[in-house]
Each structure stands twice: as C-alpha cells, then as structure tokens.
Amino acid sequence: MASSPAVLVLAPLGRDAKIAASILATNHIASRVCDSLEETLPLLDEAQCLVVAEEALISSDRKHFAAWLESQPAWSDFPIVLLTMRGTEFDKRLAFLDRYLIVLERPFLASSLANSVRSALRARARQREVQSYIKQTQEVADRQKLLIRELHHRVKNTLANVRAMMGATAKSSGNVHDFVRDFSARIVSLADTHSMLTDDYWQTASLYRLLESELSHYETHDRPRIVLEGPNVALVADIAIPVGMAFHELASNSSKFGALSLPQGRLDVRWSVSTFGNAQTVNLDWRERDGPKVEQPRRRGFGTTLLEKVVAVQCDAKVELKYHRNGLQFTMALPLRDTRLVPAY
C-alpha cells in the first residue's frame, strides 16, 4: 500500500487547487487534492500539512475539523497554510485555527507557497521527533516501573526463602559451625542465581548455567565425571530461584552422601523439552551412580522439603526422588511459564 501524500490541498473553487498542486509537484512535494472538508477529515491523521482556501472552510461545517484539532496530543501543532484574499480581514469564524496557521495571501508567488509548505513540513518533522522522544521516554518509564515491581516481588520472595533456609538449616545443624557452613553455602547459591537474573536483559537464567554453577566445584578435569546434556532453556525468576536452590541441595547432598562424595562417583543430568499445544515442559533426569549404596533417609531434610514442597508447588512441577541402591535418581517435569528456548552455547 502506497504511503499517503504529505500535503492535502482543499480549494474547491476556481483553479487554486490545481495551481497549488502543480507548484508543489514542481518542488517535489507530494500532494492530494480534496473536493470537500468531509473528504479531507479522514485523511488528516496521515497527512503532514493542509493547504486550504479560506472560503472552503467558511462554507463548510467546521465543528468536526475544530474538534479534530482540539483533540491533538500535546506534542502536535498540525500546520495549516491558509490561502486568503489580499486586502481582506481575517474571518473571525476561523479563529480556532490561530495556533496552527501560516497565512498566504492570494495571488501568491509559486516560491511563496513552496517555502510556506516546506516550513510547515519541517515543523511537523520536528513535532514527530518530539513524539518519538516522548514515546521512548514513556517506554523507559514503563519498563522501570515494571522492574521496580519485579524487584519488590523478588525481594519479598527472597527474604521468605532466606528465612525458610535459616530455620531449616538451624534444625539440621549439630553445632554453630555446621550452621554457618551450610547456611552460607545456601546464601551464596541464592546470590549466584540472582546474579544470573540481573545480568540478563530479559531477567531470566539459563537452566544449563544453574546446573553448571552448582556442579562445577565437584568436577575433576583429568577424569570428567559429570554430564550435563540438554537444550538451553531460559527460566523466569519465579522458576529459576527455587530450581536453583533445588540444584544446590541435590549437589550438596551428593557431595556429602551420594555419588560425588567418592572419586569414582558419576552424575548424569539430562533434560529435554516437550511441547503439547502451546505449552512446553522441561523433563529433567538427575541420575547418580558408582557412589555409596543408597538407603531411604530416615528423616526429611531441608532439601527433600524444598524439592517436594517448594519446587512442586511454586513451579507447578511434578518431582520424584527414587532411592535406588546404586544411586539417587531425581526426576522433574517443569512447565515453562513465559519461558523461551535460547540458542546453545
């Protein structure tokens, strides 16, 4: 669809419209001649300037035109070149045009019309620049408000998580030293997840990086024993934080009692993404092997509670812990809410 001409010409009597359009065309200014104000009104939103003969407005119903001008946003002063007869007084019925007018008396020189229209188009271009600046400023302000709301929400959730971690760590610690060690490790893990979210423009964290951050400390480079395999998935904050905490608990438990506590121990973490309709789900499988023989725990620790309560409820995930004799297995079906697949590293 071709763009609308920048200039509308309304001069239905005599040859004024034809002459004005010809002068503008000679000066490489696109225009469209209108036969009536009713025809002109629907075109004003796309036009940049109106050249109009005084008598065309006086003989027409002007209330809709006046209302359109009145409804213009603060940045807009729609330019109007009004063609009047030399020696006549300005008609007071057109007083509503005052702030928009460039008055050109007839008969006029071709250069006078061309220069008047060019001046009007330059003014309109500057107004459009102001419009763009206002729009960009508003978008920045809206994003800032969104980020502040997100920050308040995240701080509130984080403090709740810290309080829960502190209480659970205190219950499971035999002494102050154990409490400080375990609680500090959990705080560091939580801080790492927050750093990933803050560093990312979209406020998301990579599933791969969450795992890598928790497990890289236990990898042996001369004889690798940890496998991380699956598509990279970006998790929004409400999912990334509890999932990151869950990975920390699994890694910590494995380093103390599971496969990562022994040099020959192995850990495979594999995941895939399934799609059903518009919904996507991450299916993750954490499987340990070649570590100490596994037995069903006699009491529920913080890690188990986090996996089965917080992750399952807050993330709407299906989680399962299986205590196989040859190694722990953890499976999770995690729905991806407002989440994107991102390119591989």
Side-chain angles (χ1 to χ4, degrees):
M1 180 177 178
S3 58
S4 301
V7 180
L8 301 178
V9 178
L10 175 59
L13 302 180
R15 300 178 60 247
D16 284 345
K18 185 176 181 181
I19 293 172
S22 176
I23 292 171
L24 295 176
T26 301
N27 286 273
H28 309 291
I29 300 173
S31 66
R32 172 173 173 172
V33 174
C34 300
D35 294 328
S36 67
L37 186 57
E38 290 72 22
E39 180 188 343
T40 305
L41 286 173
L43 305 174
L44 291 173
D45 287 331
E46 299 298 325
Q48 306 301 318
C49 171
L50 172 65
V51 177
V52 58
E54 183 180 38
E55 62 273 14
L57 295 179
I58 292 174
S59 62
S60 302
D61 184 351
R62 299 174 297 278
K63 64 177 182 291
H64 294 300
F65 184 36
W68 183 83
L69 291 174
E70 186 65 27
S71 68
Q72 293 297 290
W75 59 266
S76 176
D77 281 331
F78 185 79
I80 299 170
V81 177
L82 184 66
L83 307 180
T84 64
M85 293 304 299
R86 182 168 298 171
T88 61
E89 293 185 4
F90 182 75
D91 195 303
K92 294 181 180 180
R93 288 174 290 182
L94 304 181
F96 68 93
L97 299 176
D98 275 355
R99 60 181 285 201
Y100 310 96
L101 274 185
I102 300 174
V103 177
L104 190 61
E105 293 183 338
R106 293 172 289 186
F108 49 77
L109 296 174
S111 58
S112 297
L113 176 63
N115 290 335
S116 296
V117 170
R118 284 198 188 97
S119 176
L121 293 177
R122 284 195 298 270
R124 193 59 172 172
R126 288 193 293 270
Q127 293 171 31
R128 291 294 185 186
E129 290 173 359
V130 172
Q131 177 197 23
S132 178
Y133 174 77
I134 292 173
K135 183 179 179 181
Q136 292 174 8
T137 302
Q138 185 60 50
E139 288 175 350
V140 170
D142 290 344
R143 175 163 174 77
Q144 187 175 39
K145 290 178 182 177
L146 178 64
L147 291 176
I148 290 173
R149 287 197 298 270
E150 170 66 19
L151 178 61
H152 288 168
H153 173 71
R154 193 181 300 173
V155 167
K156 184 177 179 180
N157 282 350
T158 299
L159 291 176
N161 289 330
V162 170
R163 183 176 180 181
M165 285 192 303
M166 182 176 66
T169 306
K171 289 180 182 179
S172 62
S173 300
N175 52 59
V176 173
H177 174 76
D178 290 344
F179 171 80
V180 171
R181 180 197 62 205
D182 294 343
F183 186 61
S184 297
R186 285 166 176 161
I187 290 294
V188 169
S189 173
L190 187 61
D192 288 344
T193 300
H194 275 278
S195 293
M196 292 182 200
L197 293 167
T198 304
D199 291 343
D200 184 74
Y201 178 82
W202 297 105
Q203 301 289 290
T204 61
S206 162
L207 174 62
Y208 179 90
R209 286 189 61 198
L210 287 174
L211 286 162
E212 184 183 46
S213 175
E214 294 298 339
L215 294 170
S216 60
H217 318 295
Y218 308 113
E219 182 61 293
T220 53
H221 298 289
D222 57 330
R223 189 180 178 187
R225 58 180 183 154
I226 298 174
V227 173
L228 303 179
E229 185 176 292
N232 287 315
V233 178
L235 303 178
V236 295
D238 286 348
I239 294 178
I241 291 173
V243 167
M245 292 171 62
F247 291 155
H248 173 76
E249 296 303 320
L250 286 166
S252 178
N253 183 76
S254 181
S255 69
K256 294 175 183 177
F257 313 110
L260 297 182
S261 67
L262 297 179
Q264 72 271 19
R266 300 289 182 269
L267 170 63
D268 287 353
V269 186
R270 304 177 190 273
W271 64 95
S272 61
V273 177
S274 60
T275 303
F276 183 77
N278 293 326
Q280 290 185 314
T281 300
V282 170
N283 300 292
L284 181 139
D285 182 57
W286 171 297
R287 192 181 296 264
E288 301 180 25
R289 56 190 173 89
D290 298 338
K293 291 184 179 179
V294 176
E295 295 182 358
Q296 184 82 22
R298 297 179 181 179
R299 65 179 182 85
R300 294 172 59 86
F302 174 68
T304 304
T305 301
L306 175 69
L307 294 172
E308 296 181 349
K309 299 292 184 181
V310 178
V311 175
V313 174
Q314 187 169 329
C315 301
D316 195 27
K318 294 181 180 179
V319 301
E320 187 176 5
L321 285 167
K322 296 179 181 179
Y323 299 94
H324 303 301
R325 291 287 289 172
N326 62 337
L328 175 74
Q329 181 183 13
F330 166 70
T331 59
M332 174 176 65
L334 176 68
L336 299 182
R337 302 192 301 266
D338 299 325
T339 308
R340 301 167 291 111
L341 289 178
V342 297
Y345 288 107

